[in-house]
């Protein structure tokens, strides 16, 4: 078996301003459009891998994206135009009528309705690259049982990066919990990208940077059985951060829990709910884990979100108020807005 890994840390996607439409539609049981009053937050619910697989189309179009200049295994990602085509085909509506379709054109976020999950945000690339660097040639002993939880997963590049490594360097067991505010994002983007990562590992994708992957029932069955044979479990949760959200997170006995999040602290109105949920997830994971285990999080973000109000300083202040601890483990202060990755742990 190849050398497995550990997390040896130190203790068409342009970001535009959000805008919303006010027509009323629904998909997958979710309210997609608010009236002039604020929409109620979506109640969290668990989605099984079987349910996610059941909504896949007959094929998906993808592009591959090298994370670094020397990367030999670029990460595949479902194309935005392909997601848009599936949405339009399934709902027979125009972009002007559908805020999720707006999210694939000009509007990145419609607060409490669509939270930007179809797009790959800059800091998710930072986090994926950071994980790649940590995994390369790491000789440190590994956790046998790992739980990866990605909050606001969207296109799930960080989790896909870890999955790519785990398929070559399997652990005794791995649980991946993928979450997003919008369940259509989990169905149309998150799970397809996980599937594409597995297909790349199985050499099922073209060597060209773009292509189509047919999805016959036999391939989906092979995907599910192959993950199960390697003791890799996938679960998904859609809905708002809340105590009910935390209660839905699977509770495996693990030796390490790693929570991932990218671009989740941009909005002051959700900063406290995100932080309290993050700390609750870490606390719950620690209490359920075997002795001498560890639970921590990596949060990738811009240092300041101009025109919105959130940022790293605000997050760290709220984190300290709630009893958590955080420190910068990577930062970039070149041209443009500074970005960083924080390592977060709960209270003692």
């Amino acid at each position: 078996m190849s050398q497995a890994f550990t997390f040896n840390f130190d203790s068409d996607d342009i970001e535009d301003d959000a805008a919303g439409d006010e027509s009323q539609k629904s998909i997958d049981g979710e309210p997609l459009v608010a009236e002039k009053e604020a929409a109620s937050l979506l109640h969290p619910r668990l989605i099984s891998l079987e349910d996610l697989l059941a909504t896949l189309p007959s094929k998906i179009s993808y592009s591959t994206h090298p994370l670094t200049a020397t990367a030999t295994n670029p990460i595949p990602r479902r194309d935005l135009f392909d997601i848009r085509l599936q949405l339009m085909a399934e709902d027979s509506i125009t972009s002007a009528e559908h805020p999720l379709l707006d999210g694939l054109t000009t509007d990145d976020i419609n607060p409490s309705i669509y939270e930007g999950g179809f797009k790959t945000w800059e800091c998710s690339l930072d986090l994926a690259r950071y994980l790649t660097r940590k995994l390369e040639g790491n000789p440190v002993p590994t956790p046998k049982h790992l739980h990866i939880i990605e909050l606001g997963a969207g296109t799930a590049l960080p989790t896909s990066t870890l999955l790519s490594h785990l398929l070559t360097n399997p652990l005794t067991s791995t649980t991946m919990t993928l979450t997003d505010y919008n369940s259509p994002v989990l169905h149309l983007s998150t799970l397809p990208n996980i599937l594409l990562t597995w297909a790349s590992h199985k050499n099922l994708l073209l060597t060209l940077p773009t292509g189509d992957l047919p999805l016959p029932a036999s391939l989906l069955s092979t995907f599910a059985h192959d993950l199960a044979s390697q003791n890799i479990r996938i679960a998904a949760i859609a809905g708002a951060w809340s105590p009910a959200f935390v209660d839905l997170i699977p509770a495996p006995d693990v030796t390490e829990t790693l929570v991932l999040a990218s671009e989740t602290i941009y909005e002051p109105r959700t900063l406290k709910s995100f932080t309290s949920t993050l700390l609750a997830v870490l606390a719950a994971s620690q209490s359920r884990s075997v002795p001498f285990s560890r639970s921590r999080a990596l949060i990738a973000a811009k240092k300041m979100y101009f025109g919105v109000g959130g940022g790293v300083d605000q997050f760290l202040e709220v984190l300290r108020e709630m009893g958590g601890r955080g420190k910068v483990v990577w930062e970039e202060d070149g041209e443009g807005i500074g970005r960083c990755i924080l390592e977060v742990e709960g209270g003692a």
Side-chain angles (χ1 to χ4, degrees):
M1 182 184 299
S2 302
Q3 172 64 45
F5 72 98
T6 188
F7 300 100
N8 187 27
F9 304 126
D10 295 329
S11 291
D12 5 308
D13 301 355
I14 304 299
E15 302 164 16
D16 300 321
D17 291 334
D21 187 86
E22 295 178 354
S23 57
Q24 184 69 41
K25 297 287 178 182
S26 67
I27 183 173
D28 198 25
E30 293 187 1
L32 295 183
V33 188
E35 298 178 354
K36 292 185 178 180
E37 298 78 15
S40 59
L41 295 176
L42 299 177
H43 189 73
R45 59 190 182 88
L46 193 65
I47 306 173
S48 68
L49 176 60
E50 292 73 20
D51 288 341
L52 292 172
L53 291 173
T55 58
L56 289 173
S58 60
K59 68 175 183 178
I60 52 178
S61 300
Y62 64 88
S63 302
T64 57
H65 303 269
L67 293 177
T68 64
T70 59
T72 57
N73 295 309
I75 297 295
R77 180 181 62 177
R78 189 181 186 185
D79 290 324
L80 288 174
F81 80 84
D82 194 46
I83 297 173
R84 180 180 176 85
L85 287 175
Q86 185 176 350
L87 276 172
M88 294 181 70
E90 291 182 352
D91 291 272
S92 301
I93 55 178
T94 66
S95 174
E97 295 173 321
H98 201 313
L100 289 192
L101 289 175
D102 285 343
L104 296 170
T105 54
T106 60
D107 301 329
D108 285 333
I109 296 171
N110 192 346
S112 300
I113 298 171
Y114 167 66
E115 293 290 345
F118 287 132
K119 298 195 175 185
T120 299
W121 299 82
E122 185 176 23
C123 291
S124 69
L125 290 168
D126 290 337
L127 185 51
R129 292 178 182 126
Y130 179 80
L131 292 168
T132 298
R133 290 192 298 270
K134 288 295 179 182
L135 295 172
E136 290 176 345
N138 194 338
V140 180
T142 70
K144 291 183 177 180
H145 307 277
L146 174 66
H147 190 185
I148 300 164
I149 305 168
E150 187 163 0
L151 302 178
T155 58
L157 254 63
T159 297
S160 295
T161 299
L162 295 180
L163 176 61
S164 180
H165 194 88
L166 284 164
L167 290 171
T168 303
N169 305 274
L171 304 180
T172 303
S173 69
T174 303
T175 299
M176 294 183 169
T177 302
L178 302 161
T179 78
D180 198 273
Y181 183 72
N182 299 105
S183 67
V185 170
L186 295 167
H187 284 273
L188 302 178
S189 181
T190 309
L191 191 276
N193 288 342
I194 295 295
L195 176 60
L196 285 166
T197 299
W198 170 83
S200 177
H201 174 73
K202 293 293 184 179
N203 297 316
L204 299 177
L205 303 185
L206 299 174
T207 56
L208 300 174
T210 62
D212 294 331
L213 176 66
L215 299 178
S218 59
L219 184 138
L220 301 183
S221 178
T222 300
F223 167 69
H225 283 96
D226 192 55
L227 292 186
S229 71
Q230 298 190 57
N231 291 317
I232 298 175
R233 177 193 177 193
I234 292 178
I237 299 172
W241 297 316
S242 64
F245 174 97
V246 177
D247 290 340
L248 291 177
I249 293 178
D253 290 330
V254 296
T255 50
E256 183 164 343
T257 297
L258 179 65
V259 182
L260 305 171
S262 307
E263 310 271 20
T264 51
I265 61 172
Y266 62 90
E267 175 59 78
R269 69 183 172 85
T270 61
L271 197 53
K272 288 187 176 181
S273 62
F274 169 74
T275 307
S276 61
T277 297
L278 172 64
L279 292 176
V281 169
L282 291 173
S285 299
Q286 190 67 44
S287 66
R288 297 165 181 160
S289 299
V290 299
F292 309 111
S293 61
R294 187 178 184 188
S295 299
R296 50 188 161 170
L298 291 174
I299 312 299
K302 293 180 175 62
K303 294 186 175 181
M304 182 177 296
Y305 290 89
F306 292 102
V308 183
V312 169
D313 288 344
Q314 293 88 337
F315 169 66
L316 288 175
E317 180 179 355
V318 172
L319 181 67
R320 285 191 293 268
E321 291 174 353
M322 294 186 176
R325 305 186 304 277
K327 63 179 181 180
V328 175
V329 294
W330 175 89
E331 60 184 329
E332 173 64 57
D333 286 313
E335 295 182 4
I337 301 173
R339 310 186 311 278
C340 70
I341 296 173
L342 301 167
E343 183 179 347
V344 173
E345 294 184 312

